[in-house]
Each structure stands twice: as C-alpha cells, then as structure tokens.
Amino acid sequence: DAGITQSPRHKVTETGTPVTLRCHQTENHRYMYWYRQDPGHGLRLIHYSYGVKDTDKGEVSDGYSVSRSKTEDFLLTLESATSSQTSVYFCATSGGQGWGEQYFGPGTRLTVT
Amino acid sequence: DQQVKQNSPSLSVQEGRISILNCDYTNSMFDYFLWYKKYPAEGPTFLISISSIKDKNEDGRFTVFLNKSAKHLSLHIVPSQPGDSAVYFCAALSSRSGYALNFGKGTSLLVTP
C-alpha cells in the first residue's frame, strides 16, 4: 500500500457549487493522478501531476482543475459541479520514473443533485 | 475511443478451476500492461504486470500471457478461490508517451464454492 488517503469519502452537493477533493500520500511518490470511474467506462484519467506545481490534462479534464503545492497533496476541484460529474473519484500515485504500477486510494463517491 | 477492451463483462467459475480473463488492445505503442483487482467500495489493487519484451509473467496463482501479434493479453488464475471474486481491470500504457494508464471497462469474476 502506498499510504493514500482521500477526503471526503462521500459527498453530496448541488449543481453549480464548487467542490474540492483531496488526495494525500505518505510515500513521497513523485507522480499523482486523478481518475473517475463510471459504469460502462472503466477508469478514465482526469488530470495528473509529475511534480510539485507540474500538472497536465488527461482524457476527461473538462470542468476540472487540479493543484499540487506539496509532494504529498493533490487537489481536484470541480469549479461548478454538474450532474454529469456524479462519479467515484480515485486518486493514484506512482514512484520511480512514473510509468508502471500505480497505487490507488479508496475513492470518493460524489453525487451532484 | 476505447484502446483497451475487455469484451466479457462477467465470468463465473467454480472454485478450484481456472479463471481466464481476456483483454485486447488497439494501440501498438503500448509496451506495458497491468491487471488490477477491485473489490466494491475500495480502490483498485495492482495484481500483476508484463512488459512487451516478455510473453509470460507468473506470480503465484496468477499468470499473465501477452500475444503482441494479436494485441491480446490474458490473466489466468489457478486455482480460483472465492476470495478472487472481484472486478478485474486490464490497463496499458506507452512508456514513451507519458504516464497515463488506459483502462478496460473491467470483468466481474464470480468464483462459486
């Protein structure tokens, strides 16, 4: 286990409100990722980070932003939540050169009403 | 466009028998393949991986086979145990083009006593 925690674990919010999900890791891994999992889609990459303040977009980045001010924390923000962003969000980390095994957190279930 | 495909949404196997989970990919740039196991309400857990320079990798009861010419890989679990019941995700990446894992939609394995 890479010592990854996510907060909150569950959240219900209303359409149009901003939401921030937090990922915290204790393994000093350089690379961190945010995925969403939806029925019929598997896991899809939203954003990733390859170092402090270094981030890039993934496959489904529209409507999301990220920040990484410390190695251990990676924040995912929904600027104005929509019902299509109802999903389970997973954070992951990897060490070494970045590619290879990724270790996942327990997930955050977000419901946008 | 799904680059990693798991065409069987579910599989049921008797305890003690072999479970074979299949995965196909379309991107010839993929050079590293991974299998993840996921229980409900938990994050995916890394199971086994294989590099494109190999055609087989074994770890205890789990073996992954890679057929590059067919762009196909499979995960064999022998013998299957009830605790293996979970969703299995196949994932692939290209070490030259970045860090993102491309996931299949998953196969739900049920091992019956």
Side-chain angles (χ1 to χ4, degrees):
Chain A
D1 258 345
I4 304 169
T5 56
Q6 293 183 232
S7 58
R9 293 293 315 278
H10 301 271
K11 186 170 182 67
V12 180
T13 192
E14 292 184 350
T15 298
T17 59
V19 176
T20 296
L21 308 183
R22 179 179 182 244
C23 177
H24 179 78
Q25 57 126 339
T26 59
E27 295 297 311
N28 202 34
H29 282 171
R30 178 180 173 187
Y31 302 91
M32 297 185 76
Y33 313 82
W34 277 107
Y35 292 88
R36 60 179 288 175
Q37 184 192 10
D38 303 290
H41 287 281
L43 284 90
R44 293 179 292 174
L45 182 67
I46 304 171
H47 281 279
Y48 64 95
S49 169
Y50 45 96
V52 174
K53 292 187 169 44
D54 291 323
T55 65
D56 207 346
K57 296 179 180 180
E59 178 188 356
V60 290
S61 60
D62 285 349
Y64 302 95
S65 63
V66 290
S67 66
R68 190 164 177 206
S69 58
K70 298 185 289 185
T71 299
E72 57 266 34
D73 290 324
F74 193 31
L75 304 181
L76 176 71
T77 297
L78 289 66
E79 304 291 346
S80 176
T82 67
S83 58
S84 65
Q85 292 176 312
T86 292
S87 187
V88 181
Y89 292 86
F90 289 101
C91 173
T93 73
S94 63
Q97 297 177 16
W99 61 271
E101 293 85 25
Q102 293 181 13
Y103 301 93
F104 284 80
T108 293
R109 181 172 292 276
L110 176 68
T111 302
V112 184
T113 61
Chain B
D1 187 27
Q2 196 86 16
Q3 298 185 74
V4 177
K5 299 177 184 178
Q6 294 177 257
N7 292 319
S8 298
S10 62
L11 176 68
S12 184
V13 171
Q14 270 193 317
E15 181 178 7
R17 303 271 187 150
I18 183 172
S19 295
I20 299 176
L21 294 93
N22 294 303
C23 178
D24 297 294
Y25 61 96
T26 58
N27 189 339
S28 58
M29 299 294 288
F30 288 151
D31 54 3
Y32 198 69
F33 304 89
L34 307 90
W35 284 94
Y36 281 82
K37 176 179 178 180
K38 186 183 180 304
Y39 292 118
E42 294 183 11
T45 302
F46 169 72
L47 197 55
I48 192 169
S49 62
I50 187 167
S51 163
S52 60
I53 63 173
K54 296 185 176 182
D55 54 20
K56 177 183 174 181
N57 189 26
E58 205 169 341
D59 184 0
R61 296 187 297 115
F62 303 92
T63 303
V64 57
F65 295 91
L66 175 62
N67 182 334
K68 289 189 293 294
S69 61
K71 293 191 176 69
H72 177 83
L73 63 154
S74 60
L75 174 68
H76 292 212
I77 307 173
V78 184
S80 301
Q81 300 173 354
D84 296 329
S85 297
V87 177
Y88 289 79
F89 290 99
C90 173
L93 66 80
S94 166
S95 59
R96 280 177 283 179
S97 64
Y99 318 101
L101 283 176
N102 294 269
F103 282 87
K105 295 181 182 181
T107 297
S108 179
L109 173 65
L110 176 65
V111 180
T112 57

